[in-house]
Amino acid sequence: MKKLFLILICLSIGTLIFAQSAEKVDEILDSKNLTRGQACYLVGTAIGEVKEADSYQTAFDKFKGLKMFENKKHDEPIRFDEFSNLALQYSSIKHGLWYSIAKNPHYAFRQLKIMKMIPQKTVPSSNITPFTAINLLAKIMPKADR
């Protein structure tokens, strides 16, 4: 099981590595929890909105218009439901009815949980780890970016 998990992580990282410099990815993976700026950097580079050389602050500023980021800072840890919302907005997954209407973190998290992309025991308000975030992005990013 450990070997399978390690292979999945390596494949997930490999799918995103072409879009980011190895230095930034290493820095992100060395963090205990993913910050809002790092999350915006990962999603932004995956969709082509953020350049490899951009800082986390610059990446965060590109997504700062989202309602969930109002009055937030780029260096604060991002919650699982917020990351789910950020990633789902730019994903290739067909959105469910409630998420299409509300576009908020609660329904994004709920949709990914129903689709079994998030483990059932995961708490929406918990902080997301970099490995989990990259693995989730590898599953839901647009096929053109894979």
Side-chain angles (χ1 to χ4, degrees):
M1 187 67 181
K2 279 184 174 178
K3 191 174 185 180
L4 178 64
F5 185 71
L6 182 62
I7 291 170
L8 286 174
I9 288 175
C10 290
L11 288 174
S12 299
I13 292 170
T15 59
L16 292 175
I17 222 121
F18 73 92
Q20 293 120 7
S21 67
E23 185 178 307
K24 286 272 195 184
V25 173
D26 287 342
E27 184 180 319
I28 291 170
L29 290 174
D30 286 341
S31 339
K32 182 179 178 186
N33 292 313
L34 195 68
T35 65
R36 288 184 174 93
Q38 291 171 335
C40 291
Y41 178 83
L42 289 172
V43 172
T45 53
I47 63 171
E49 291 291 319
V50 175
K51 296 176 186 159
E52 289 180 25
D54 287 349
S55 67
Y56 301 134
Q57 175 68 50
T58 304
F60 180 73
D61 289 343
K62 296 222 182 210
F63 295 97
K64 201 170 186 172
L66 297 174
K67 186 177 179 180
M68 68 180 173
F69 289 150
E70 287 178 5
N71 302 319
K72 306 285 181 165
K73 296 179 182 175
H74 80 282
D75 56 353
E76 297 173 332
I78 190 166
R79 296 174 7 170
F80 215 116
D81 58 347
E82 291 173 334
F83 182 78
S84 299
N85 189 32
L86 177 65
L88 196 57
Q89 283 190 28
Y90 300 98
S91 74
S92 61
I93 293 177
K94 186 176 179 185
H95 302 144
L97 175 66
W98 290 109
Y99 181 73
S100 296
I101 293 170
K103 293 240 193 272
N104 70 29
H106 172 76
Y107 290 114
F109 181 82
R110 187 171 169 206
Q111 179 174 341
L112 293 176
K113 204 171 192 180
I114 289 169
M115 296 172 75
K116 298 186 186 319
M117 291 187 179
I118 297 175
Q120 289 299 318
K121 293 185 179 185
T122 306
V123 178
S125 61
S126 64
N127 294 333
I128 188 168
T129 64
F131 283 110
T132 306
I134 290 173
N135 191 20
L136 183 59
L137 281 178
K139 292 177 186 175
I140 67 173
M141 277 296 108
K143 292 182 189 234
D145 290 341
R146 289 188 190 178

